[in-house]
Amino acid sequence: MKVIIDKDTFKRTIKRLSYEIIEKNNDLENCVILGIKRKGIYLSKRIKNNIFNIEGVELVEGELDITHYRDDVVNAEPQQLLDVDVEGKTVILVDDVLFTGRTVRAAMDAVMDLGRAKKIQLAVLVDRGHRELPVTANYVGKNIPTSEQENVFVRFSEVDGCDLVELD
């Protein structure tokens, strides 16, 4: 395994993502941040906390389970929709890695079932390329060109005991 983002860079990258979100959204009170289960949740919480510490604005947050919306899961149990109002809001979807774009497509479908958002933005810690769908992130922590056979592992201290990104 090769470390691509170490602990200090990990923290700085998330802080930079937070500042970019602040700079692009003049009306933070009308933003909703949704972490895509599983590891997007940890990233979204950190971004939310950074934005609060920087601007004093408490973003509405939620944890988005997209299992039912995926095109590669057969007979998935319907998920309970979030109790989050997205109507007319800017929704910031957050995930750890952007790869094919299929997870993001499923997340957008889930958001649309919640209501008509004003706009949907995407923040990711790592963009590794290899899109199968026309999806681009608004906020990218680091672009890491990979082969399709390589794997990117994002580790969060909340579940993995450390903060880093590795390539295998």
Side-chain angles (χ1 to χ4, degrees):
M1 295 266 213
K2 178 181 177 186
V3 174
I4 302 298
I5 300 176
D6 64 19
K7 178 183 176 182
D8 293 334
T9 306
F10 197 94
K11 184 177 180 179
R12 279 193 309 272
T13 301
I14 295 172
K15 190 164 246 179
R16 180 177 47 78
L17 287 170
S18 305
Y19 273 107
E20 289 177 9
I21 290 168
I22 291 166
E23 290 171 4
K24 190 165 184 174
N25 294 285
N26 295 328
D27 191 10
L28 288 170
E29 287 81 11
N30 283 313
C31 290
V32 173
I33 190 163
L34 300 177
I36 299 172
K37 283 190 175 179
R38 181 170 96 98
K39 294 211 172 165
I41 293 168
Y42 307 113
L43 181 57
S44 71
K45 287 184 182 303
R46 291 189 190 190
I47 291 171
K48 178 188 178 219
N49 289 337
N50 282 340
I51 290 172
F52 180 77
N53 291 335
I54 297 163
E55 292 293 312
V57 176
E58 185 87 29
L59 296 182
V60 173
E61 72 175 316
E63 299 178 2
L64 194 59
D65 185 345
I66 58 148
T67 307
H68 179 66
Y69 294 90
R70 295 189 58 93
D71 60 6
D72 59 350
V73 176
V74 180
N75 297 327
E77 289 293 318
Q79 302 297 315
Q80 182 176 359
L81 288 177
L82 293 171
D83 187 21
V84 174
D85 179 19
V86 300
E87 198 70 35
K89 308 274 173 124
T90 296
V91 174
I92 304 163
L93 293 173
V94 181
D95 206 4
D96 59 341
V97 178
L98 177 56
F99 184 31
T100 64
R102 293 188 177 283
T103 297
V104 176
R105 186 220 34 96
M108 288 190 297
D109 287 347
V111 168
M112 289 180 194
D113 277 355
L114 292 171
R116 184 173 174 84
K118 179 179 178 183
K119 65 176 111 171
I120 299 174
Q121 299 174 352
L122 176 62
V124 296
L125 188 62
V126 174
D127 183 345
R128 61 172 291 192
H130 304 287
R131 273 337 154 264
E132 295 175 7
L133 300 173
V135 172
T136 303
N138 303 87
Y139 315 101
V140 176
K142 184 164 179 76
N143 287 294
I144 301 175
T146 63
S147 73
E148 289 190 38
Q149 292 73 39
E150 290 177 302
N151 293 304
V152 173
F153 297 96
V154 178
R155 314 246 188 245
F156 286 91
S157 58
E158 292 90 326
V159 289
D160 302 306
C162 61
D163 292 331
L164 57 94
V165 178
E166 296 175 306
L167 181 65
D168 184 26

